[in-house]
Amino acid sequence: MGRPVLNEAGPDAGVPWHHGEPLREQRRLASGAATVDLSHRPVFTISGPDRLTWLHAITSQAFEGLTPGVWTTAFVLDPNGRIEHVLGGVDDGATFWASTEPGHAEALLAWLRRMVFASRVELADVAATHAMVIAGGPRIVARHELDAVLGAERAGTWASEALRIAAGEPRVFLDTDERTIPNEVAMPDGLALGSGVHLQKGCYRGQETVARVHTLGRPPRRLTLLHFDGSDERLPEVGADVLLDGKAVGRMGTSAIHHELGPIGLALLKRNTPLDAALVVDGLVAAQEALVDPEVGLHVRPNLRPAP
């Protein structure tokens, strides 16, 4: 393991971007042999006997009967079905250990605390004592165990982001915007509309929009994997316009250089953008690979790996 090169900006600033061999690190991470330090991500707990029924009632995910040790993801939607917050975590039988995106914990925890009412739940920020890692999948571990869990074979966020993008897994707040509904980006997972929405559970805020689009199809936009031609070493900025014949047809999300696919990225495109159209982002030419069926709003291929 070489000397780490740290992310200098963005939500992952301060943690290793790579350890000297980014493409090899991707291959090692894909095989399960490497780990990733995500200790910059906020970590919090939800404890109390009502924690799972409470989460089941206020989020898009099914938490009742959740098996301990199984990582799950949930959205908090606004009344129009747009994604407001995201959390992922694991229950240990007594406490749900959760994480969210950097810079978004304060707003999420404030919203969750307003929803407690008479439920027997307690929320606590535990980022000072616990940290997020990828080690055989996403995990939350005690900080004093961090070095032991990460071990000697480490990969940086370049590796984890490249594998995530190649798998077509959107990162909320980067690959989504304030208008995004789950049907535009989600991946199939049994009865779930992606890893964050369950279609056969009780009511929750925003459910009507999700159910209507799922039933009728034709979401406004579709998640798309872009393959850049590689003629330029740079990658496009998050939020850049995606252009077709000089007109904006979408929004650019995250991008990375993949060890097999080369420069790739995720974009939200208007549903009716021709699938065979060559697009331009920040002056870079890109071809499309469909991820979400533009007619039915479901991911067109299986989930390739657990989302970190």
PDB file of all heavy atoms in Angstrom, residues 9-41:
ATOM      1  N   ALA A   9     -11.232  18.022  -2.446  1.00  0.00           N
ATOM      2  CA  ALA A   9     -12.464  18.808  -2.484  1.00  0.00           C
ATOM      3  C   ALA A   9     -13.658  17.873  -2.617  1.00  0.00           C
ATOM      4  O   ALA A   9     -13.503  16.663  -2.797  1.00  0.00           O
ATOM      5  CB  ALA A   9     -12.426  19.802  -3.643  1.00  0.00           C
ATOM      6  N   GLY A  10     -14.850  18.455  -2.510  1.00  0.00           N
ATOM      7  CA  GLY A  10     -16.059  17.663  -2.663  1.00  0.00           C
ATOM      8  C   GLY A  10     -16.459  16.988  -1.367  1.00  0.00           C
ATOM      9  O   GLY A  10     -15.808  17.149  -0.319  1.00  0.00           O
ATOM     10  N   PRO A  11     -17.521  16.199  -1.391  1.00  0.00           N
ATOM     11  CA  PRO A  11     -18.029  15.576  -0.170  1.00  0.00           C
ATOM     12  C   PRO A  11     -17.089  14.549   0.450  1.00  0.00           C
ATOM     13  O   PRO A  11     -17.240  14.212   1.625  1.00  0.00           O
ATOM     14  CB  PRO A  11     -19.339  14.926  -0.622  1.00  0.00           C
ATOM     15  CG  PRO A  11     -19.173  14.728  -2.097  1.00  0.00           C
ATOM     16  CD  PRO A  11     -18.355  15.883  -2.571  1.00  0.00           C
ATOM     17  N   ASP A  12     -16.119  14.044  -0.316  1.00  0.00           N
ATOM     18  CA  ASP A  12     -15.179  13.042   0.210  1.00  0.00           C
ATOM     19  C   ASP A  12     -13.822  13.638   0.562  1.00  0.00           C
ATOM     20  O   ASP A  12     -12.842  12.902   0.729  1.00  0.00           O
ATOM     21  CB  ASP A  12     -15.001  11.906  -0.806  1.00  0.00           C
ATOM     22  CG  ASP A  12     -16.293  11.157  -1.062  1.00  0.00           C
ATOM     23  OD1 ASP A  12     -17.111  11.057  -0.127  1.00  0.00           O
ATOM     24  OD2 ASP A  12     -16.495  10.681  -2.196  1.00  0.00           O
ATOM     25  N   ALA A  13     -13.758  14.945   0.704  1.00  0.00           N
ATOM     26  CA  ALA A  13     -12.492  15.600   1.027  1.00  0.00           C
ATOM     27  C   ALA A  13     -11.927  15.069   2.339  1.00  0.00           C
ATOM     28  O   ALA A  13     -12.646  14.881   3.323  1.00  0.00           O
ATOM     29  CB  ALA A  13     -12.696  17.112   1.125  1.00  0.00           C
ATOM     30  N   GLY A  14     -10.622  14.797   2.321  1.00  0.00           N
ATOM     31  CA  GLY A  14      -9.929  14.404   3.542  1.00  0.00           C
ATOM     32  C   GLY A  14      -9.675  12.928   3.702  1.00  0.00           C
ATOM     33  O   GLY A  14      -8.879  12.532   4.551  1.00  0.00           O
ATOM     34  N   VAL A  15     -10.350  12.086   2.904  1.00  0.00           N
ATOM     35  CA  VAL A  15     -10.084  10.645   2.965  1.00  0.00           C
ATOM     36  C   VAL A  15      -9.345  10.228   1.698  1.00  0.00           C
ATOM     37  O   VAL A  15      -9.367  10.937   0.690  1.00  0.00           O
ATOM     38  CB  VAL A  15     -11.382   9.825   3.134  1.00  0.00           C
ATOM     39  CG1 VAL A  15     -12.005  10.105   4.491  1.00  0.00           C
ATOM     40  CG2 VAL A  15     -12.359  10.102   2.016  1.00  0.00           C
ATOM     41  N   PRO A  16      -8.670   9.060   1.715  1.00  0.00           N
ATOM     42  CA  PRO A  16      -7.841   8.682   0.569  1.00  0.00           C
ATOM     43  C   PRO A  16      -8.620   8.550  -0.739  1.00  0.00           C
ATOM     44  O   PRO A  16      -9.636   7.863  -0.809  1.00  0.00           O
ATOM     45  CB  PRO A  16      -7.256   7.328   1.003  1.00  0.00           C
ATOM     46  CG  PRO A  16      -7.216   7.405   2.490  1.00  0.00           C
ATOM     47  CD  PRO A  16      -8.459   8.158   2.863  1.00  0.00           C
ATOM     48  N   TRP A  17      -8.109   9.216  -1.766  1.00  0.00           N
ATOM     49  CA  TRP A  17      -8.637   9.076  -3.122  1.00  0.00           C
ATOM     50  C   TRP A  17      -8.056   7.820  -3.755  1.00  0.00           C
ATOM     51  O   TRP A  17      -8.749   7.048  -4.413  1.00  0.00           O
ATOM     52  CB  TRP A  17      -8.272  10.326  -3.921  1.00  0.00           C
ATOM     53  CG  TRP A  17      -8.795  10.360  -5.318  1.00  0.00           C
ATOM     54  CD1 TRP A  17     -10.007   9.925  -5.761  1.00  0.00           C
ATOM     55  CD2 TRP A  17      -8.120  10.879  -6.466  1.00  0.00           C
ATOM     56  NE1 TRP A  17     -10.128  10.137  -7.114  1.00  0.00           N
ATOM     57  CE2 TRP A  17      -8.990  10.731  -7.566  1.00  0.00           C
ATOM     58  CE3 TRP A  17      -6.878  11.488  -6.663  1.00  0.00           C
ATOM     59  CZ2 TRP A  17      -8.639  11.142  -8.849  1.00  0.00           C
ATOM     60  CZ3 TRP A  17      -6.536  11.912  -7.942  1.00  0.00           C
ATOM     61  CH2 TRP A  17      -7.413  11.738  -9.024  1.00  0.00           C
ATOM     62  N   HIS A  18      -6.764   7.600  -3.544  1.00  0.00           N
ATOM     63  CA  HIS A  18      -6.136   6.336  -3.935  1.00  0.00           C
ATOM     64  C   HIS A  18      -4.846   6.187  -3.139  1.00  0.00           C
ATOM     65  O   HIS A  18      -4.394   7.107  -2.450  1.00  0.00           O
ATOM     66  CB  HIS A  18      -5.876   6.270  -5.448  1.00  0.00           C
ATOM     67  CG  HIS A  18      -4.881   7.280  -5.962  1.00  0.00           C
ATOM     68  ND1 HIS A  18      -3.518   7.097  -5.893  1.00  0.00           N
ATOM     69  CD2 HIS A  18      -5.062   8.479  -6.575  1.00  0.00           C
ATOM     70  CE1 HIS A  18      -2.902   8.127  -6.431  1.00  0.00           C
ATOM     71  NE2 HIS A  18      -3.813   8.989  -6.837  1.00  0.00           N
ATOM     72  N   HIS A  19      -4.256   5.005  -3.221  1.00  0.00           N
ATOM     73  CA  HIS A  19      -3.029   4.697  -2.478  1.00  0.00           C
ATOM     74  C   HIS A  19      -1.862   4.448  -3.427  1.00  0.00           C
ATOM     75  O   HIS A  19      -0.934   3.710  -3.089  1.00  0.00           O
ATOM     76  CB  HIS A  19      -3.258   3.491  -1.572  1.00  0.00           C
ATOM     77  CG  HIS A  19      -4.254   3.729  -0.475  1.00  0.00           C
ATOM     78  ND1 HIS A  19      -3.901   4.179   0.774  1.00  0.00           N
ATOM     79  CD2 HIS A  19      -5.603   3.601  -0.465  1.00  0.00           C
ATOM     80  CE1 HIS A  19      -4.983   4.305   1.531  1.00  0.00           C
ATOM     81  NE2 HIS A  19      -6.031   3.963   0.801  1.00  0.00           N
ATOM     82  N   GLY A  20      -1.917   5.031  -4.607  1.00  0.00           N
ATOM     83  CA  GLY A  20      -0.794   4.932  -5.532  1.00  0.00           C
ATOM     84  C   GLY A  20      -1.042   4.078  -6.755  1.00  0.00           C
ATOM     85  O   GLY A  20      -0.377   4.240  -7.782  1.00  0.00           O
ATOM     86  N   GLU A  21      -2.005   3.138  -6.665  1.00  0.00           N
ATOM     87  CA  GLU A  21      -2.303   2.261  -7.791  1.00  0.00           C
ATOM     88  C   GLU A  21      -3.826   2.170  -7.977  1.00  0.00           C
ATOM     89  O   GLU A  21      -4.433   1.141  -7.698  1.00  0.00           O
ATOM     90  CB  GLU A  21      -1.726   0.869  -7.563  1.00  0.00           C
ATOM     91  CG  GLU A  21      -0.213   0.829  -7.424  1.00  0.00           C
ATOM     92  CD  GLU A  21       0.284  -0.589  -7.212  1.00  0.00           C
ATOM     93  OE1 GLU A  21       0.231  -1.064  -6.065  1.00  0.00           O
ATOM     94  OE2 GLU A  21       0.699  -1.225  -8.194  1.00  0.00           O
ATOM     95  N   PRO A  22      -4.457   3.244  -8.453  1.00  0.00           N
ATOM     96  CA  PRO A  22      -5.918   3.314  -8.457  1.00  0.00           C
ATOM     97  C   PRO A  22      -6.607   2.219  -9.262  1.00  0.00           C
ATOM     98  O   PRO A  22      -7.661   1.724  -8.847  1.00  0.00           O
ATOM     99  CB  PRO A  22      -6.211   4.701  -9.030  1.00  0.00           C
ATOM    100  CG  PRO A  22      -4.947   5.129  -9.711  1.00  0.00           C
ATOM    101  CD  PRO A  22      -3.845   4.495  -8.953  1.00  0.00           C
ATOM    102  N   LEU A  23      -6.055   1.825 -10.408  1.00  0.00           N
ATOM    103  CA  LEU A  23      -6.721   0.806 -11.221  1.00  0.00           C
ATOM    104  C   LEU A  23      -6.565  -0.589 -10.595  1.00  0.00           C
ATOM    105  O   LEU A  23      -7.515  -1.386 -10.594  1.00  0.00           O
ATOM    106  CB  LEU A  23      -6.190   0.830 -12.653  1.00  0.00           C
ATOM    107  CG  LEU A  23      -6.367   2.173 -13.380  1.00  0.00           C
ATOM    108  CD1 LEU A  23      -5.924   2.060 -14.835  1.00  0.00           C
ATOM    109  CD2 LEU A  23      -7.813   2.650 -13.301  1.00  0.00           C
ATOM    110  N   ARG A  24      -5.389  -0.864 -10.043  1.00  0.00           N
ATOM    111  CA  ARG A  24      -5.218  -2.127  -9.322  1.00  0.00           C
ATOM    112  C   ARG A  24      -6.123  -2.159  -8.100  1.00  0.00           C
ATOM    113  O   ARG A  24      -6.709  -3.209  -7.785  1.00  0.00           O
ATOM    114  CB  ARG A  24      -3.761  -2.304  -8.888  1.00  0.00           C
ATOM    115  CG  ARG A  24      -3.522  -3.566  -8.053  1.00  0.00           C
ATOM    116  CD  ARG A  24      -2.090  -3.653  -7.553  1.00  0.00           C
ATOM    117  NE  ARG A  24      -1.901  -4.845  -6.738  1.00  0.00           N
ATOM    118  CZ  ARG A  24      -2.189  -4.920  -5.444  1.00  0.00           C
ATOM    119  NH1 ARG A  24      -2.692  -3.844  -4.816  1.00  0.00           N
ATOM    120  NH2 ARG A  24      -1.980  -6.034  -4.772  1.00  0.00           N
ATOM    121  N   GLU A  25      -6.261  -1.029  -7.420  1.00  0.00           N
ATOM    122  CA  GLU A  25      -7.130  -0.966  -6.245  1.00  0.00           C
ATOM    123  C   GLU A  25      -8.574  -1.294  -6.615  1.00  0.00           C
ATOM    124  O   GLU A  25      -9.289  -1.947  -5.847  1.00  0.00           O
ATOM    125  CB  GLU A  25      -7.044   0.430  -5.616  1.00  0.00           C
ATOM    126  CG  GLU A  25      -5.703   0.726  -4.966  1.00  0.00           C
ATOM    127  CD  GLU A  25      -5.541   2.185  -4.582  1.00  0.00           C
ATOM    128  OE1 GLU A  25      -6.571   2.863  -4.355  1.00  0.00           O
ATOM    129  OE2 GLU A  25      -4.394   2.660  -4.508  1.00  0.00           O
ATOM    130  N   GLN A  26      -9.009  -0.860  -7.799  1.00  0.00           N
ATOM    131  CA  GLN A  26     -10.364  -1.198  -8.240  1.00  0.00           C
ATOM    132  C   GLN A  26     -10.533  -2.707  -8.392  1.00  0.00           C
ATOM    133  O   GLN A  26     -11.541  -3.282  -7.971  1.00  0.00           O
ATOM    134  CB  GLN A  26     -10.670  -0.513  -9.569  1.00  0.00           C
ATOM    135  CG  GLN A  26     -10.895   0.970  -9.474  1.00  0.00           C
ATOM    136  CD  GLN A  26     -11.291   1.556 -10.812  1.00  0.00           C
ATOM    137  OE1 GLN A  26     -12.069   0.956 -11.563  1.00  0.00           O
ATOM    138  NE2 GLN A  26     -10.773   2.727 -11.127  1.00  0.00           N
ATOM    139  N   ARG A  27      -9.564  -3.330  -9.018  1.00  0.00           N
ATOM    140  CA  ARG A  27      -9.657  -4.778  -9.218  1.00  0.00           C
ATOM    141  C   ARG A  27      -9.662  -5.507  -7.885  1.00  0.00           C
ATOM    142  O   ARG A  27     -10.418  -6.478  -7.698  1.00  0.00           O
ATOM    143  CB  ARG A  27      -8.502  -5.256 -10.100  1.00  0.00           C
ATOM    144  CG  ARG A  27      -8.593  -4.765 -11.549  1.00  0.00           C
ATOM    145  CD  ARG A  27      -7.565  -5.449 -12.429  1.00  0.00           C
ATOM    146  NE  ARG A  27      -6.204  -4.991 -12.129  1.00  0.00           N
ATOM    147  CZ  ARG A  27      -5.611  -3.976 -12.730  1.00  0.00           C
ATOM    148  NH1 ARG A  27      -6.259  -3.277 -13.657  1.00  0.00           N
ATOM    149  NH2 ARG A  27      -4.368  -3.644 -12.419  1.00  0.00           N
ATOM    150  N   ARG A  28      -8.844  -5.065  -6.948  1.00  0.00           N
ATOM    151  CA  ARG A  28      -8.782  -5.708  -5.637  1.00  0.00           C
ATOM    152  C   ARG A  28     -10.072  -5.487  -4.856  1.00  0.00           C
ATOM    153  O   ARG A  28     -10.577  -6.382  -4.186  1.00  0.00           O
ATOM    154  CB  ARG A  28      -7.581  -5.191  -4.846  1.00  0.00           C
ATOM    155  CG  ARG A  28      -6.235  -5.495  -5.489  1.00  0.00           C
ATOM    156  CD  ARG A  28      -5.967  -6.974  -5.534  1.00  0.00           C
ATOM    157  NE  ARG A  28      -5.687  -7.508  -4.200  1.00  0.00           N
ATOM    158  CZ  ARG A  28      -5.686  -8.816  -3.890  1.00  0.00           C
ATOM    159  NH1 ARG A  28      -6.002  -9.708  -4.818  1.00  0.00           N
ATOM    160  NH2 ARG A  28      -5.401  -9.202  -2.669  1.00  0.00           N
ATOM    161  N   LEU A  29     -10.634  -4.285  -4.968  1.00  0.00           N
ATOM    162  CA  LEU A  29     -11.894  -4.008  -4.282  1.00  0.00           C
ATOM    163  C   LEU A  29     -13.028  -4.823  -4.893  1.00  0.00           C
ATOM    164  O   LEU A  29     -13.874  -5.365  -4.176  1.00  0.00           O
ATOM    165  CB  LEU A  29     -12.209  -2.517  -4.346  1.00  0.00           C
ATOM    166  CG  LEU A  29     -13.488  -2.067  -3.633  1.00  0.00           C
ATOM    167  CD1 LEU A  29     -13.430  -2.373  -2.140  1.00  0.00           C
ATOM    168  CD2 LEU A  29     -13.726  -0.570  -3.855  1.00  0.00           C
ATOM    169  N   ALA A  30     -13.054  -4.932  -6.222  1.00  0.00           N
ATOM    170  CA  ALA A  30     -14.096  -5.708  -6.900  1.00  0.00           C
ATOM    171  C   ALA A  30     -14.052  -7.175  -6.485  1.00  0.00           C
ATOM    172  O   ALA A  30     -15.094  -7.840  -6.419  1.00  0.00           O
ATOM    173  CB  ALA A  30     -13.940  -5.582  -8.405  1.00  0.00           C
ATOM    174  N   SER A  31     -12.861  -7.681  -6.193  1.00  0.00           N
ATOM    175  CA  SER A  31     -12.726  -9.083  -5.782  1.00  0.00           C
ATOM    176  C   SER A  31     -13.006  -9.299  -4.305  1.00  0.00           C
ATOM    177  O   SER A  31     -13.044 -10.439  -3.831  1.00  0.00           O
ATOM    178  CB  SER A  31     -11.314  -9.579  -6.106  1.00  0.00           C
ATOM    179  OG  SER A  31     -10.355  -8.993  -5.222  1.00  0.00           O
ATOM    180  N   GLY A  32     -13.194  -8.201  -3.559  1.00  0.00           N
ATOM    181  CA  GLY A  32     -13.444  -8.304  -2.125  1.00  0.00           C
ATOM    182  C   GLY A  32     -12.184  -8.338  -1.285  1.00  0.00           C
ATOM    183  O   GLY A  32     -12.257  -8.523  -0.067  1.00  0.00           O
ATOM    184  N   ALA A  33     -11.028  -8.121  -1.924  1.00  0.00           N
ATOM    185  CA  ALA A  33      -9.764  -8.235  -1.197  1.00  0.00           C
ATOM    186  C   ALA A  33      -9.322  -6.928  -0.562  1.00  0.00           C
ATOM    187  O   ALA A  33      -8.432  -6.930   0.296  1.00  0.00           O
ATOM    188  CB  ALA A  33      -8.664  -8.736  -2.146  1.00  0.00           C
ATOM    189  N   ALA A  34      -9.896  -5.806  -0.971  1.00  0.00           N
ATOM    190  CA  ALA A  34      -9.471  -4.507  -0.457  1.00  0.00           C
ATOM    191  C   ALA A  34     -10.582  -3.854   0.353  1.00  0.00           C
ATOM    192  O   ALA A  34     -11.753  -4.244   0.275  1.00  0.00           O
ATOM    193  CB  ALA A  34      -9.048  -3.589  -1.605  1.00  0.00           C
ATOM    194  N   THR A  35     -10.217  -2.853   1.135  1.00  0.00           N
ATOM    195  CA  THR A  35     -11.161  -2.103   1.964  1.00  0.00           C
ATOM    196  C   THR A  35     -11.073  -0.614   1.604  1.00  0.00           C
ATOM    197  O   THR A  35     -10.117  -0.173   0.970  1.00  0.00           O
ATOM    198  CB  THR A  35     -10.837  -2.269   3.459  1.00  0.00           C
ATOM    199  OG1 THR A  35      -9.507  -1.761   3.702  1.00  0.00           O
ATOM    200  CG2 THR A  35     -10.913  -3.731   3.880  1.00  0.00           C
ATOM    201  N   VAL A  36     -12.091   0.147   2.032  1.00  0.00           N
ATOM    202  CA  VAL A  36     -12.121   1.588   1.752  1.00  0.00           C
ATOM    203  C   VAL A  36     -12.465   2.334   3.035  1.00  0.00           C
ATOM    204  O   VAL A  36     -13.414   1.981   3.734  1.00  0.00           O
ATOM    205  CB  VAL A  36     -13.151   1.931   0.658  1.00  0.00           C
ATOM    206  CG1 VAL A  36     -13.140   3.435   0.368  1.00  0.00           C
ATOM    207  CG2 VAL A  36     -12.879   1.150  -0.620  1.00  0.00           C
ATOM    208  N   ASP A  37     -11.707   3.372   3.323  1.00  0.00           N
ATOM    209  CA  ASP A  37     -11.941   4.238   4.477  1.00  0.00           C
ATOM    210  C   ASP A  37     -12.982   5.292   4.111  1.00  0.00           C
ATOM    211  O   ASP A  37     -12.754   6.151   3.267  1.00  0.00           O
ATOM    212  CB  ASP A  37     -10.621   4.902   4.875  1.00  0.00           C
ATOM    213  CG  ASP A  37     -10.756   5.853   6.059  1.00  0.00           C
ATOM    214  OD1 ASP A  37     -11.878   6.011   6.582  1.00  0.00           O
ATOM    215  OD2 ASP A  37      -9.720   6.432   6.460  1.00  0.00           O
ATOM    216  N   LEU A  38     -14.163   5.224   4.744  1.00  0.00           N
ATOM    217  CA  LEU A  38     -15.215   6.225   4.571  1.00  0.00           C
ATOM    218  C   LEU A  38     -15.526   6.883   5.911  1.00  0.00           C
ATOM    219  O   LEU A  38     -16.678   7.210   6.213  1.00  0.00           O
ATOM    220  CB  LEU A  38     -16.481   5.576   3.989  1.00  0.00           C
ATOM    221  CG  LEU A  38     -16.347   4.954   2.600  1.00  0.00           C
ATOM    222  CD1 LEU A  38     -17.657   4.301   2.187  1.00  0.00           C
ATOM    223  CD2 LEU A  38     -15.919   5.987   1.559  1.00  0.00           C
ATOM    224  N   SER A  39     -14.468   7.086   6.697  1.00  0.00           N
ATOM    225  CA  SER A  39     -14.646   7.578   8.059  1.00  0.00           C
ATOM    226  C   SER A  39     -15.097   9.030   8.124  1.00  0.00           C
ATOM    227  O   SER A  39     -15.398   9.541   9.202  1.00  0.00           O
ATOM    228  CB  SER A  39     -13.354   7.406   8.862  1.00  0.00           C
ATOM    229  OG  SER A  39     -12.277   8.081   8.236  1.00  0.00           O
ATOM    230  N   HIS A  40     -15.166   9.710   6.975  1.00  0.00           N
ATOM    231  CA  HIS A  40     -15.656  11.092   6.941  1.00  0.00           C
ATOM    232  C   HIS A  40     -17.177  11.159   6.933  1.00  0.00           C
ATOM    233  O   HIS A  40     -17.753  12.223   7.125  1.00  0.00           O
ATOM    234  CB  HIS A  40     -15.122  11.795   5.699  1.00  0.00           C
ATOM    235  CG  HIS A  40     -15.603  11.187   4.415  1.00  0.00           C
ATOM    236  ND1 HIS A  40     -15.366   9.866   4.082  1.00  0.00           N
ATOM    237  CD2 HIS A  40     -16.318  11.713   3.383  1.00  0.00           C
ATOM    238  CE1 HIS A  40     -15.904   9.617   2.906  1.00  0.00           C
ATOM    239  NE2 HIS A  40     -16.497  10.710   2.457  1.00  0.00           N
ATOM    240  N   ARG A  41     -17.836  10.042   6.686  1.00  0.00           N
ATOM    241  CA  ARG A  41     -19.298  10.059   6.577  1.00  0.00           C
ATOM    242  C   ARG A  41     -19.949  10.132   7.951  1.00  0.00           C
ATOM    243  O   ARG A  41     -19.477   9.522   8.919  1.00  0.00           O
ATOM    244  CB  ARG A  41     -19.796   8.819   5.836  1.00  0.00           C
ATOM    245  CG  ARG A  41     -19.377   8.773   4.379  1.00  0.00           C
ATOM    246  CD  ARG A  41     -20.243   7.820   3.602  1.00  0.00           C
ATOM    247  NE  ARG A  41     -19.892   7.827   2.196  1.00  0.00           N
ATOM    248  CZ  ARG A  41     -20.621   7.258   1.240  1.00  0.00           C
ATOM    249  NH1 ARG A  41     -21.748   6.633   1.565  1.00  0.00           N
ATOM    250  NH2 ARG A  41     -20.241   7.307  -0.019  1.00  0.00           N
TER     251      ARG A  41
END
